[in-house]
């Protein structure tokens, strides 16, 4: 019954009539049968038969029939809704992630890279209608996964990101941005966005970040830049122990914020600073709000009317009442 609605609930006001009918019947119950006046009833003092005691059931049948008719007039129905959605104007997004050794710093928990992977995965799941690609970079950059609508592939790519020796250590912001631009330059999406994240300064690569930003602007690509790292000192990997584990020591956090702000300004984007896990989550949530897709949704309603069975049941009760009134309870006086 929880999924049943009523098309005409105003008919429930008719239920107010039923108490008045019950009251009328109660006060007029002795006038419902034919009477015979005699001088004395001493000879008729007998207990009423079972049939006589059950006579009020005729009125109960009528009241139930009226109640069912009122409910039927309110038109109970169940509704099956089918939604068909399609994105009329989608967004292509490339996340360019710094995977240099400094991303193992522990100012974000458990470290910058793992914190970024968690937040980026959540961001992907909140963009079901858009295509997303992943670019990773250190001193060089490469495409982890091209722009695709297959979110499972993107999530697997993010999960597999780790620090290794495939890329020479260093921070090539220009290389990372240029690689991301190359993935989007031929896109025909209504909006093209790069989320460029780094935790350092541009000290590697053969492409100037400012030139890469100008190229992005020429292709109509907006760049949101994110600087990740606390203010002050943080535990950075400084050397490798004999067992292959990193040795950490406190070092000063350095992020070229002026460069990141300039890249964002050139491409009509915004710059954000993530100093901890919570602020990193807020940044991706803000970007998620800024870049919205236009979705066209069509709803189809299939109504299943339930009043017919109520009408049939009320007619059955009225027929039973009429039949009993004309047979068992027929008056011969």
């Amino acid at each position: 019954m929880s999924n049943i609605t009523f098309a005409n609930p105003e008919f429930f006001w008719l239920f107010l009539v039923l108490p008045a009918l019950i009251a009328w019947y109660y006060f007029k119950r002795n006038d419902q049968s034919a009477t015979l006046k005699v001088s004395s009833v001493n000879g008729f003092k007998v207990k009423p038969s079972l049939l006589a005691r059950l006579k009020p059931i005729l009125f109960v049948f009528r009241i139930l029939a009226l109640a069912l008719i009122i409910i039927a007039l309110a038109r109970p129905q169940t509704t099956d809704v089918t939604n068909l959605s399609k994105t009329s104007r989608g967004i292509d997004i490339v996340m360019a992630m710094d995977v240099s050794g400094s991303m193992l710093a522990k100012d974000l928990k458990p470290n910058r890279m793992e914190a970024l992977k968690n937040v980026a995965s959540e961001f992907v799941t909140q963009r079901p209608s858009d295509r997303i690609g992943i670019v990773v970079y250190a001193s060089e950059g490469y495409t982890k996964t091209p722009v695709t609508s297959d979110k499972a592939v993107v999530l697997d790519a993010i999960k597999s990101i780790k620090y290794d020796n495939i890329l020479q250590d260093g921070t090539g912001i220009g290389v990372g941005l240029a690689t991301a631009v190359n993935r989007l330059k031929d896109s025909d999406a209504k909006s093209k966005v790069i989320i460029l994240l780094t935790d350092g300064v541009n000290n590697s690569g053969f492409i100037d970040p400012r030139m890469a930003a100008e190229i992005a602007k020429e292709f109509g690509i907006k760049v949101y830049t994110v600087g990740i790292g606390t203010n002050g000192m943080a535990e950075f990997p400084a050397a490798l122990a004999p067992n292959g584990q990193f040795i950490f020591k406190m070092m000063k956090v350095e992020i070229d914020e002026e460069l990141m702000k300039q890249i964002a300004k050139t491409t009509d984007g915004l710059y954000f600073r993530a100093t901890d896990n919570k602020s990193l989550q807020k940044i991706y949530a803000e970007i998620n709000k800024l870049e919205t897709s236009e979705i066209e949704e069509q709803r189809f309603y299939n109504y299943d009317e339930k009043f017919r069975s109520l009408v049939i049941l009320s007619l059955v009760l009225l027929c039973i009442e009429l039949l009993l009134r004309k047979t068992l309870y027929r008056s011969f006086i």
Side-chain angles (χ1 to χ4, degrees):
M1 293 294 292
S2 60
N3 62 340
I4 292 180
T5 58
F6 295 90
N8 303 313
E10 62 273 9
F11 280 101
F12 284 128
W13 288 103
L14 293 175
F15 273 112
L16 296 176
V17 177
L18 299 186
L21 291 176
I22 294 172
W24 175 86
Y25 176 82
Y26 179 79
F27 290 110
K28 294 290 186 178
R29 66 187 186 281
N30 295 326
D31 300 332
Q32 299 299 310
S33 301
T35 59
L36 175 65
K37 292 182 179 181
V38 295
S39 59
S40 175
V41 294
N42 291 332
F44 298 96
K45 287 184 178 180
V46 294
K47 291 183 179 180
S49 66
L50 179 62
L51 193 62
R53 290 179 180 179
L54 293 178
K55 186 175 182 181
I57 201 172
L58 300 179
F59 181 73
V60 173
F61 285 161
R62 184 171 297 185
I63 290 296
L64 288 177
L66 289 174
L68 291 172
I69 290 173
I70 291 172
I71 297 174
L73 288 172
R75 284 183 61 194
Q77 56 190 211
T78 57
T79 307
D80 180 29
V81 183
T82 302
N83 293 330
L84 293 180
S85 301
K86 67 176 182 178
T87 303
S88 54
R89 302 182 68 188
I91 299 176
D92 280 357
I93 302 172
V94 170
M95 290 190 283
M97 301 182 181
D98 187 344
V99 294
S100 59
S102 58
M103 285 293 289
L104 300 178
K106 296 182 178 180
D107 47 353
L108 275 73
K109 303 301 178 185
N111 58 48
R112 294 174 181 176
M113 187 174 295
E114 291 302 317
L116 173 60
K117 288 165 60 176
N118 292 336
V119 174
S121 296
E122 184 178 351
F123 176 81
V124 170
T125 60
Q126 294 175 353
R127 311 291 303 190
S129 303
D130 300 320
R131 301 195 307 166
I132 298 177
I134 304 296
V135 165
V136 295
Y137 70 95
S139 62
E140 301 171 320
Y142 71 91
T143 301
K144 187 76 172 176
T145 182
V147 177
T148 177
S149 58
D150 191 337
K151 299 303 184 294
V153 171
V154 179
L155 291 172
D156 284 342
I158 294 174
K159 185 178 180 180
S160 66
I161 293 175
K162 61 181 180 179
Y163 174 76
D164 52 36
N165 294 322
I166 294 178
L167 298 177
Q168 185 177 351
D169 207 3
T171 303
I173 296 175
V175 173
L177 180 55
T179 304
V181 170
N182 191 50
R183 304 312 311 181
L184 288 176
K185 62 183 179 67
D186 296 324
S187 170
D188 56 358
K190 71 102 177 179
S191 182
K192 294 175 282 187
V193 172
I194 292 173
I195 302 175
L196 176 68
L197 185 140
T198 187
D199 67 342
V201 297
N202 186 63
N203 56 22
S204 303
F206 55 89
I207 299 177
D208 179 54
R210 295 169 183 82
M211 181 181 295
E214 291 292 341
I215 296 173
K217 182 180 179 180
E218 288 296 319
F219 285 106
I221 300 171
K222 185 189 298 183
V223 182
Y224 291 106
T225 55
V226 181
I228 183 170
T230 188
N231 294 312
M233 307 291 286
E235 288 186 85
F236 281 85
L240 280 174
N243 61 0
Q245 299 295 319
F246 280 106
I247 299 174
F248 290 83
K249 71 175 184 177
M250 297 299 293
M251 299 175 60
K252 183 176 178 57
V253 176
E254 295 182 3
I255 300 175
D256 194 345
E257 293 193 277
E258 289 302 318
L259 174 61
M260 302 296 278
K261 290 177 181 178
Q262 186 175 350
I263 292 173
K265 184 178 180 180
T266 299
T267 61
D268 297 324
L270 294 172
Y271 168 70
F272 302 92
R273 177 69 184 271
T275 56
D276 53 31
N277 294 58
K278 190 173 182 179
S279 60
L280 182 61
Q281 290 176 335
K282 288 183 177 179
I283 288 169
Y284 272 85
E286 182 66 20
I287 296 173
N288 191 36
K289 293 178 182 178
L290 290 170
E291 296 297 330
T292 57
S293 301
E294 295 183 10
I295 300 176
E296 179 181 315
E297 182 178 75
Q298 292 180 321
R299 287 190 175 188
F300 299 91
Y301 294 87
N302 182 30
Y303 297 100
D304 185 10
E305 300 287 352
K306 302 295 185 181
F307 69 88
R308 297 178 182 86
S309 58
L310 298 174
V311 172
I312 293 172
L313 183 56
S314 67
L315 290 176
V316 170
L317 290 174
L318 288 175
C319 289
I320 293 174
E321 190 239 355
L322 182 62
L323 181 63
L324 292 174
R325 192 177 296 276
K326 295 296 184 181
T327 56
L328 294 177
Y329 294 101
R330 182 178 181 182
S331 175
F332 292 95
I333 300 176

